[in-house]
Every structure is written in structure tokens, then in C-alpha cells.
Amino acid sequence: MASSALRHALLLPLVACFIAVAAGQEAPRAHPLSNLPPSGEISTGFFFPDFPTRQFIAGQAVKTVLGIRNDASEPYNISAIMGSLNNAADFRAYYWNFTQQVYFQVVAPGKELSVEYTFLPPKDLPPNDYQVALTVFYEAAEGFKSTTFFNQTVTVLEKGQLIDWKLIFLYVIFIALVAAGAFYVWNIVKESQLYKNLVGKKQRKVEVSRADNDDEWVKGTPYDSFRRQKAKAAGKGSKKAQ
Ligand SMILES: *[C@@H]1O[C@H](CO)[C@@H](O)[C@H](O)[C@H]1NC(C)=O
Ligand SMILES: *[C@@H]1O[C@H](CO)[C@@H](O)[C@H](O)[C@H]1NC(C)=O
Ligand SMILES: *[C@@H]1O[C@H](CO)[C@@H](O)[C@H](O)[C@H]1NC(C)=O
């Protein structure tokens, strides 16, 4: 299998050159993507298993699965896939050409084949919308053909910009722990003598103002008259309520 990898490595520039020659008659060195060969008779379907929402992340490889069905009456030799990253508003402004991958797999008439293509949005790509075009090149008896199977706007995000559910889960656990801790402390405080004293005093104050007279020491003080008024008000209030 190492030899097949080597063969691919050797053929890679060769194929690019072939395609370039086939594509640009006047300028043999023209990039294959700038002058695409005509389309053959294939049907394609694709998906991005790791990025089903088409929100890619700068610096993270995007795997593409491409299904090809040969609708022609002759075999096609699937040569390579190439792609580019372009301005979403102006396709002519390209930012990046994705590395080509070669296949050299023959798909017979009426048959299907699926291949994988991986491209890498550059790590320092500013987060934005971009137009990504992916093209498959294949060879028939009369020469090269191409089909652009994906040509759509995608969103490229910065790493970490995507919702990180793992992190959110950790936050939820953290908040739950803090809440549990707070509840535990509250239970201890509730039972503590200090708290009982504080709250007990408040409750007693109301009782006292109803009973009105067992605290000799407050008689005649401003607090005493305040207490009486409050008791009266409370009495009225409860009468009204009845
Ligand atoms: C990238 O592809 C475009 C065509 O889409 C071509 O004009 C350009 O020369 C290529 N750039 C490189 C560096 O290969
Ligand atoms: C497919 O194309 C490549 C490159 O042109 C060639 O080396 C290979 O033999 C072809 N495969 C078949 C089965 O014709
Ligand atoms: C991709 O689509 C744009 C329009 O959105 C078009 O101008 C461009 O030629 C297409 N590219 C390819 C390779 O089909």
C-alpha cells in the first residue's frame, strides 16, 4: 500500500498538469479551477459528517463524503477533487485553493462510487461567510470532465465560537454544586441559635405588640408609642380583613 501512496504522490503534480493542459488550451499553466472542463453525465450527492450545519471552524479539517453515480454509457475514471474558498459576495475573489486529492477510481455506467475529500479552512481565516466550491474531475475517452458538486455559502467560525455543549454541561454541574452547597449552608444557618434568636425576636415583637404590656421597661419611650400605633393598625387591618 506504501507503493500506491508513492504513486499518488508522484502522479499528483502530473495529474494537475494534465488537467491544466486539458482545461486551458491557450495557457497550459492555467489553474484547473479557473477554466473548468465541461460537465459529464454524473449525479452527485454529498454531506459533511462532522459539520452537518455547514458552520466550519478555521483550522479544522472538513471531511466531505461525495457519492457519484455514472449516468453515462461509458466508464469514467474519477481523477481528483479540488476546491476553493471565495468571497461570498464576489466569487471571482478567491482566498484559498484547497489541496487536491487524487482517486483514479473507475465508475462503470449505471454504477455508484463514494469518495472522501478533506479540505482545511486556513487557521487564521477571519470568521465570516465564504463561498466554497468543490469540483470533481474525471476522465472519459474523449478527455477530462468536471462537475462542481458543491458551490454554496458557508460560515467559518473561530475555534471556540461554536456552542460548546461539554462546557455548558460543566457550567450546569458547577451551578448545581454551588446551589447544593448554598442549600446545605442555609440549612445549618436555619438551625443555628444565632438565626433563631434573630428571627425569634422579630416574631416576638409582633406578639408583644398585641399583648402590649409585659415589657415594663419600654413604657413611655418613643418605642412604646410606636408599638401601640402599630398594634392599633394591625388590629384595624385584621378587622378590615374579616
Ligand atoms: C487558485 O485557483 C484560482 C482559480 O480558482 C487560480 O486562478 C489561482 O491561480 C489558484 N492559486 C494558486 C496559488 O494555485
Ligand atoms: C485512471 O486514470 C489514471 C490517470 O490518468 C490512470 O493512471 C489509471 O490507469 C486510470 N484507471 C483506469 C482503470 O483506467
Ligand atoms: C459558483 O457560484 C457562483 C455564483 O454564486 C458562480 O459565479 C460561480 O461560477 C460558481 N462556481 C463554480 C465553480 O461553479
Side-chain angles (χ1 to χ4, degrees), residues 7 11 15 18 77-79 104-106 139 144:
R7 203 188 68 199
L11 277 170
V15 163
F18 272 147
N77 188 339
I78 307 299
S79 323
F104 300 137
Q105 291 188 45
V106 175
E139 200 178 2
F144 276 103

Side-chain angles (χ1 to χ4, degrees), residues 31 33-34 84 94 97:
H31 192 273
L33 287 177
S34 52
S84 65
Y94 85 94
N97 292 335

Side-chain angles (χ1 to χ4, degrees), residues 39-58:
S39 180
E41 294 167 65
I42 63 169
S43 318
T44 57
F46 63 87
F47 66 102
F48 305 106
D50 304 327
F51 300 94
T53 58
R54 283 176 216 173
Q55 290 189 314
F56 304 144
I57 296 165

